[in-house]
């Protein structure tokens, strides 16, 4: 790194400001993620329906 680069960087010679960090972010397949979420939402609706039926059954038994 030459003096002009150091001056352009505000005389900041910290390694993190002089060396480009690798991109460690994970690529996400949005379509696959959306499909997985849609499956979870569908399953949740099915379970809620089953729970409602069980609660209704229990309420009938109490009367």
């Amino acid at each position: 790194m030459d003096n002009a680069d150091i001056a352009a960087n505000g005389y900041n010679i910290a390694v993190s400001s002089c060396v480009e960090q690798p991109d460690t972010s994970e690529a996400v397949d949005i379509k696959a993620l959306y499909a997985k979420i849609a499956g979870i939402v569908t399953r949740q609706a099915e379970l809620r329906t089953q729970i409602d039926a069980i609660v209704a059954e229990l309420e009938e038994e109490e009367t």
Side-chain angles (χ1 to χ4, degrees):
M1 184 171 224
D2 64 17
N3 288 341
D5 292 335
I6 294 172
N9 197 29
Y11 296 98
N12 182 357
I13 58 172
V15 173
S16 61
S17 69
C18 299
V19 178
E20 185 176 342
Q21 299 296 316
D23 182 6
T24 58
S25 61
E26 183 179 333
V28 176
D29 182 353
I30 298 297
K31 289 182 181 180
L33 183 59
Y34 180 77
K36 186 175 182 178
I37 291 170
I40 291 170
V41 169
T42 300
R43 180 68 178 139
Q44 179 186 18
E46 292 169 357
L47 292 172
R48 285 194 184 277
T49 301
Q50 291 174 6
I51 290 169
D52 289 343
I54 292 169
V55 169
E57 227 177 87
L58 291 172
E59 287 176 345
E60 287 178 11
E61 289 177 5
E62 288 180 355
T63 58

